[in-house]
Amino acid sequence: MVMTAASTDDDEPEARFLEMTDLISQSCASDVSVSADELASPSAAGTTAAEPTPDSTLPVLVDPVPLTSTEECAAQRHQLRINRAFSGTDTATYEELRHKLTTLNYPAARIHRMPNSSGEPVARLDLRVGAEHLALEVADINNGVMAEEFGAPEGVNVTEVRLEPQLDPPTS
Protein backbone atom coordinates (compact mmCIF):
# COMPACT_ATOMS: atom_id res chain seq x y z
CA MET A 1 0.00 0.00 0.00
CA VAL A 2 1.36 3.38 -1.00
CA MET A 3 0.90 6.21 1.45
CA THR A 4 0.62 9.66 -0.04
CA ALA A 5 1.03 13.01 1.62
CA ALA A 6 -2.36 13.73 3.14
CA SER A 7 -3.88 15.45 6.09
CA THR A 8 -3.85 13.76 9.46
CA ASP A 9 -7.61 13.22 9.08
CA ASP A 10 -6.92 10.94 6.09
CA ASP A 11 -4.15 9.08 7.96
CA GLU A 12 -6.19 8.53 11.13
CA PRO A 13 -8.31 5.56 9.92
CA GLU A 14 -5.18 3.77 8.67
CA ALA A 15 -3.36 4.46 11.96
CA ARG A 16 -6.29 3.05 13.97
CA PHE A 17 -6.40 0.01 11.66
CA LEU A 18 -2.64 -0.61 12.03
CA GLU A 19 -2.93 -0.35 15.82
CA MET A 20 -5.82 -2.84 15.84
CA THR A 21 -4.02 -5.32 13.55
CA ASP A 22 -0.86 -5.02 15.64
CA LEU A 23 -2.80 -5.97 18.78
CA ILE A 24 -4.42 -8.90 16.99
CA SER A 25 -1.05 -10.06 15.60
CA GLN A 26 0.56 -9.85 19.04
CA SER A 27 -2.22 -11.93 20.58
CA CYS A 28 -1.89 -14.51 17.82
CA ALA A 29 1.90 -14.63 17.99
CA SER A 30 1.69 -15.60 21.66
CA ASP A 31 -0.90 -18.29 20.82
CA VAL A 32 0.89 -19.79 17.83
CA SER A 33 4.46 -20.88 17.29
CA VAL A 34 5.46 -20.15 13.70
CA SER A 35 7.61 -22.65 11.83
CA ALA A 36 10.40 -21.63 9.44
CA ASP A 37 8.31 -22.91 6.50
CA GLU A 38 5.49 -20.53 7.39
CA LEU A 39 7.85 -17.58 7.48
CA ALA A 40 8.77 -18.15 3.83
CA SER A 41 6.55 -15.80 1.88
CA PRO A 42 4.57 -17.51 -0.87
CA SER A 43 4.98 -15.54 -4.07
CA ALA A 44 2.48 -14.74 -6.74
CA ALA A 45 4.57 -16.72 -9.23
CA GLY A 46 2.56 -19.50 -10.76
CA THR A 47 -0.73 -18.19 -9.42
CA THR A 48 -1.76 -16.26 -12.51
CA ALA A 49 -4.56 -17.71 -14.59
CA ALA A 50 -4.28 -18.08 -18.34
CA GLU A 51 -2.82 -14.96 -19.91
CA PRO A 52 -5.44 -12.75 -21.54
CA THR A 53 -5.25 -11.92 -25.20
CA PRO A 54 -3.67 -8.51 -25.86
CA ASP A 55 -7.05 -6.94 -26.69
CA SER A 56 -8.78 -8.42 -23.62
CA THR A 57 -10.07 -6.03 -20.96
CA LEU A 58 -10.83 -8.82 -18.51
CA PRO A 59 -8.75 -8.90 -15.31
CA VAL A 60 -6.26 -11.71 -14.84
CA LEU A 61 -7.42 -13.61 -11.77
CA VAL A 62 -4.99 -15.31 -9.42
CA ASP A 63 -5.39 -18.15 -6.96
CA PRO A 64 -5.25 -17.43 -3.23
CA VAL A 65 -2.03 -18.22 -1.37
CA PRO A 66 -1.93 -20.25 1.86
CA LEU A 67 -2.12 -18.39 5.15
CA THR A 68 0.33 -19.01 7.96
CA SER A 69 -1.04 -20.24 11.27
CA THR A 70 -0.57 -16.73 12.69
CA GLU A 71 -2.56 -15.25 9.78
CA GLU A 72 -5.29 -17.88 10.31
CA CYS A 73 -5.45 -16.92 13.98
CA ALA A 74 -5.74 -13.23 13.05
CA ALA A 75 -8.44 -14.11 10.49
CA GLN A 76 -10.49 -15.84 13.21
CA ARG A 77 -10.24 -12.78 15.44
CA HIS A 78 -11.27 -10.41 12.62
CA GLN A 79 -14.14 -12.74 11.67
CA LEU A 80 -15.35 -12.89 15.27
CA ARG A 81 -15.40 -9.10 15.73
CA ILE A 82 -17.10 -8.59 12.35
CA ASN A 83 -19.70 -11.32 12.99
CA ARG A 84 -20.49 -9.90 16.43
CA ALA A 85 -20.89 -6.36 15.06
CA PHE A 86 -23.23 -7.50 12.27
CA SER A 87 -25.23 -10.01 14.34
CA GLY A 88 -28.94 -9.28 13.99
CA THR A 89 -28.24 -6.67 11.32
CA ASP A 90 -29.46 -6.78 7.75
CA THR A 91 -27.23 -4.74 5.45
CA ALA A 92 -29.33 -4.31 2.35
CA THR A 93 -26.77 -2.27 0.41
CA TYR A 94 -23.04 -2.19 -0.14
CA GLU A 95 -22.96 1.33 1.32
CA GLU A 96 -24.47 0.05 4.60
CA LEU A 97 -21.97 -2.82 4.70
CA ARG A 98 -19.07 -0.46 4.01
CA HIS A 99 -20.25 2.07 6.62
CA LYS A 100 -20.50 -0.62 9.30
CA LEU A 101 -17.01 -1.90 8.45
CA THR A 102 -15.56 1.62 8.69
CA THR A 103 -17.12 2.01 12.15
CA LEU A 104 -15.11 -1.10 13.11
CA ASN A 105 -11.88 0.78 12.18
CA TYR A 106 -11.42 -0.80 8.76
CA PRO A 107 -10.34 2.11 6.51
CA ALA A 108 -12.54 2.76 3.48
CA ALA A 109 -9.45 2.43 1.24
CA ARG A 110 -9.12 -1.23 2.36
CA ILE A 111 -12.78 -2.10 1.59
CA HIS A 112 -13.44 -3.19 -2.00
CA ARG A 113 -16.86 -3.76 -3.55
CA MET A 114 -17.37 -7.14 -5.22
CA PRO A 115 -20.02 -8.17 -7.73
CA ASN A 116 -22.58 -10.69 -6.54
CA SER A 117 -25.15 -12.41 -8.73
CA SER A 118 -27.58 -12.82 -5.81
CA GLY A 119 -27.83 -9.07 -5.33
CA GLU A 120 -26.58 -9.17 -1.73
CA PRO A 121 -23.75 -6.77 -0.81
CA VAL A 122 -20.26 -8.28 -0.82
CA ALA A 123 -16.98 -6.58 0.06
CA ARG A 124 -13.38 -7.67 0.37
CA LEU A 125 -11.18 -6.38 3.16
CA ASP A 126 -7.47 -6.02 2.47
CA LEU A 127 -5.91 -6.83 5.85
CA ARG A 128 -2.36 -7.19 4.53
CA VAL A 129 0.33 -5.42 6.53
CA GLY A 130 3.97 -5.83 5.54
CA ALA A 131 4.59 -9.27 4.04
CA GLU A 132 1.29 -10.74 5.26
CA HIS A 133 -1.39 -12.14 2.92
CA LEU A 134 -4.59 -11.93 4.99
CA ALA A 135 -7.80 -10.74 3.36
CA LEU A 136 -11.48 -11.36 4.08
CA GLU A 137 -14.56 -11.54 1.91
CA VAL A 138 -17.59 -10.22 3.81
CA ALA A 139 -21.03 -11.08 2.43
CA ASP A 140 -24.44 -10.14 3.79
CA ILE A 141 -26.57 -13.07 4.94
CA ASN A 142 -29.87 -13.06 6.81
CA ASN A 143 -29.40 -10.98 9.97
CA GLY A 144 -25.62 -10.95 9.81
CA VAL A 145 -22.65 -11.51 7.56
CA MET A 146 -20.37 -14.34 6.52
CA ALA A 147 -16.65 -13.49 6.59
CA GLU A 148 -14.34 -15.86 4.70
CA GLU A 149 -10.56 -15.56 4.97
CA PHE A 150 -8.15 -16.01 2.07
CA GLY A 151 -4.55 -15.25 1.18
CA ALA A 152 -3.92 -12.46 -1.32
CA PRO A 153 -0.52 -12.58 -3.05
CA GLU A 154 1.75 -9.57 -2.70
CA GLY A 155 1.25 -6.96 -5.40
CA VAL A 156 -2.24 -8.21 -6.34
CA ASN A 157 -5.47 -6.35 -5.60
CA VAL A 158 -7.74 -8.43 -3.34
CA THR A 159 -10.49 -8.15 -5.98
CA GLU A 160 -8.31 -10.16 -8.40
CA VAL A 161 -8.10 -13.27 -6.22
CA ARG A 162 -10.25 -16.17 -7.46
CA LEU A 163 -12.26 -17.78 -4.67
CA GLU A 164 -14.41 -20.88 -4.93
CA PRO A 165 -18.07 -19.91 -4.64
CA GLN A 166 -19.70 -20.92 -1.36
CA LEU A 167 -22.81 -22.99 -2.00
CA ASP A 168 -25.93 -22.31 0.01
CA PRO A 169 -27.03 -25.22 2.21
CA PRO A 170 -30.10 -27.10 0.96
CA THR A 171 -33.39 -25.67 2.19
CA SER A 172 -35.22 -28.98 2.43
Side-chain angles (χ1 to χ4, degrees):
M1 183 174 152
V2 176
M3 297 293 289
T4 59
S7 70
T8 56
D9 290 342
D10 292 342
D11 294 339
E12 192 174 317
E14 184 69 15
R16 286 193 309 263
F17 167 75
L18 292 173
E19 183 178 315
M20 173 186 60
T21 58
D22 185 50
L23 291 172
I24 289 173
S25 293
Q26 287 177 23
S27 70
C28 286
S30 64
D31 289 350
V32 179
S33 62
V34 180
S35 71
D37 291 339
E38 291 174 323
L39 291 174
S41 174
S43 70
T47 60
T48 304
E51 291 296 319
T53 59
D55 58 346
S56 174
T57 59
L58 296 174
V60 177
L61 298 179
V62 298
D63 292 324
V65 295
L67 297 174
T68 65
S69 54
T70 302
E71 289 170 327
E72 288 178 4
C73 172
Q76 291 172 358
R77 290 196 170 56
H78 284 286
Q79 289 167 320
L80 181 61
R81 64 187 301 273
I82 290 169
N83 287 335
R84 281 183 180 163
F86 281 90
S87 179
T89 304
D90 184 26
T91 50
T93 66
Y94 168 77
E95 289 73 21
E96 291 173 351
L97 179 69
R98 183 174 189 243
H99 174 73
K100 185 77 166 180
L101 289 169
T102 58
T103 63
L104 292 172
N105 290 332
Y106 295 106
R110 290 179 173 267
I111 303 169
H112 304 275
R113 184 180 208 153
M114 295 298 294
N116 185 340
S117 60
S118 71
E120 296 296 328
V122 177
R124 287 198 179 167
L125 277 174
D126 188 345
L127 302 176
R128 296 176 291 185
V129 176
E132 295 174 353
H133 300 98
L134 180 57
L136 292 178
E137 183 166 274
V138 182
D140 178 68
I141 57 173
N142 294 332
N143 293 318
V145 295
M146 179 175 64
E148 176 187 2
E149 80 274 358
F150 64 96
E154 186 177 342
V156 172
N157 189 305
V158 295
T159 62
E160 297 172 353
V161 179
R162 178 188 315 113
L163 298 180
E164 295 295 320
Q166 297 295 315
L167 300 176
D168 292 334
T171 56
S172 57

